[in-house]
Amino acid sequence: MRRLTLPERSDWRDTANKMGFTFHTAEGTPYWDESAAFAFSLREIEEEIEAPSAELEEMCLAFVGDAIVSEEILSSLGIPRDFWGAIHESWQRGDRNLYGRFDFAYAGNGPAKLLEYNADTPTALFETGVFQWVWLEEQMARGVLPAGSDQYNSVHEKVVEAFRAFRGGPSYRLHLGCARDSAEDRGTVAYLEDCAKAAGLSTQFLYMDEIGRARDGTFVDVANGEIDVLFKLYPWEWMFQEEFGRAVIGSRTQFIEPIWKAVLSTKALLPHLWRMAPGHPNLLPAYFAGQEREDLGPSYVEKPIHSREGANIRIIREGRAVSATDGPYDGPLVRQTLVEIPDFGGGHAVIGAWMVASQPAGMLIREDRNPITGNLARFVPHIIEP
Amino acid sequence: MKRSSMIFLGATGLLIAGAWLGRSGGPVSDTDKAEIYESLSACVTANAMTRDQCESEFAAAQEKHLKDAPRFPARAECEAQYGSGQCQPATIAGTSYFLPALAGVMIAQRLLGQRQPQALLPPLRAQQTCAPGFTPATQPGCVVPRSTSSTSSSGAGWRSYTTAGGSTVSRDASRSGPVTVPRTITTGRGTVPSVSTSPTTSRSSTVSRGGFGSTARSTSSSSSS
């Protein structure tokens, strides 16, 4: 693994805008950054990222199976009791899932360490699956990158295939929703809608607040048509608290992600994984606050079990808080041994490893000046060297 | 290769590894050419099938229509969805309902004479109406309402329909010949009633909204991670 400095394509902004990638610059700072790239060997990708992702996913699925029959575990995850039955049913029914993103600390000189699992509402999917892919094609065509370069990135193909397979084959109508006022969320959903169309589905977008609930509890769209299958880029833990949340229980609507993903989309997963596989090379020691053991060590990261985009995170080094981020989240805390996020000269680089339908599917790298990756991180593309 | 070999995007077209085609290209096999007939005589006149085959296709479409069309207890509720004069009474298994009219029959060219037609309904009123001077060709997705008293010239010469699956199909009625539609419309829909999305009852007066989305408004954070 090494960091390359590369010339940007002079026309990349035009290309991005044409493709609907309008959030390439966020809050005045560049989000897509192709002035650099990371280069990996095929062995690094296959043995250090892809294989561990598959193994961690297996562990996570095993954990869901354990969790849904354990009051103690479900309580620790912060999921309201009312939804336990629906989660159990969803898992037993075998509701398929679409995607998730493991975030790893990896520097090419030891095992990748899992920082967290974004199992419910990960973004950066379009940038990974399409724009990074186009970047490689164009930079090879322009002679900037050697012909025969590759990329760990079958995200697009796998997402289309996953949509096609969701109902076991037959076509279906898919609604897709997200919150208002986020270009990134809207762009991600627009991309997923394109993927669904490529899979032969008919689609309909709506904002979450446009979803209607009929008197019989059915979820309906703006035209009052029943919502059979809903992709929602909207966290389950928010839906649990909202007015329509309880209407999910017993609903005929199939949700993507399925409700059982709520078991994984919490940082409370981390101490449970460590309990299941203490010493696993791809895991860091992690505990609920107040239940720490020796192996946590004096330097650790403290995060609320539900927080997003690096909000409300504290870094404790040798027992003293050295860094903290603000944010709206509170609730139970998880402590995870501090691991250095490698800096190759452009900021702290975190690897995001995509799972699509529980299969390893690709990778992205985000760099952040701050050791806590936030929403101002820059997306830096990668190649596998020929 | 550890990456996708091909990417198709609606906005951008088809991208293929090793040869980016930019904005050219298009869907490869996801569409069908389909005939739309509003009447048995139109089917016979078009001469794509024999009279016997036309009768057989229309009978099959009628059957499907009775089975799959949304059912309403009252004419007013049906008309609220499909427009004035677009509904008719029907008795199904001893119960009286109002159904949207069978507005046409759609048959994929590759399925002609195979008794696999789709029953077409009038367009839904909730669909966006074509703006004055526009047609579904120039304003994709808009529909031409079937109102008998329409004075607007929008969508002139065009006809719009809804499938039992809730998809909209429009064609230029001043021209003969097939329309091109997503293959999902000519196949799956009618034969997979479990995924039918058409409203089975009128819900317009009993729907509440806004029960999702409040957390996003109260935190300034994006919902994604």
Side-chain angles (χ1 to χ4, degrees), chain A residues 113-130:
Chain A
K113 298 288 188 184
L114 178 66
L115 300 171
E116 56 187 63
Y117 189 17
N118 298 287
D120 188 16
T121 57
T123 51
L125 190 71
F126 173 82
E127 304 89 289
T128 306
V130 179

Side-chain angles (χ1 to χ4, degrees), chain A residues 46 50 118 121 123 133 137-138 150-151 153 157 167 171 185 194 200 202 209-210 213 224 228 234 242 244, chain B residues 1-5 10 18 20 184 189 195 197 203-204 206 208-209 211-213 215 222-225:
Chain A
E46 292 190 332
E50 188 177 22
N118 298 287
T121 57
T123 51
W133 187 95
E137 284 297 319
E138 295 198 334
D150 202 355
Q151 200 170 67
N153 184 9
E157 275 179 9
R167 286 266 176 128
S171 182
D185 289 7
D194 256 354
S202 68
D209 59 24
E210 292 178 319
R213 186 185 53 178
N224 293 336
D228 287 323
Y234 198 80
E242 296 184 353
F244 284 179
Chain B
M1 197 159 72
K2 292 200 74 74
R3 64 199 164 102
S4 305
S5 54
W20 185 34
T184 49
R189 285 290 161 258
V195 300
T197 57
R203 297 195 170 97
S204 50
T206 59
S208 54
R209 294 187 196 279
F212 284 133
T215 321
S222 161
S223 55
S224 54
S225 51

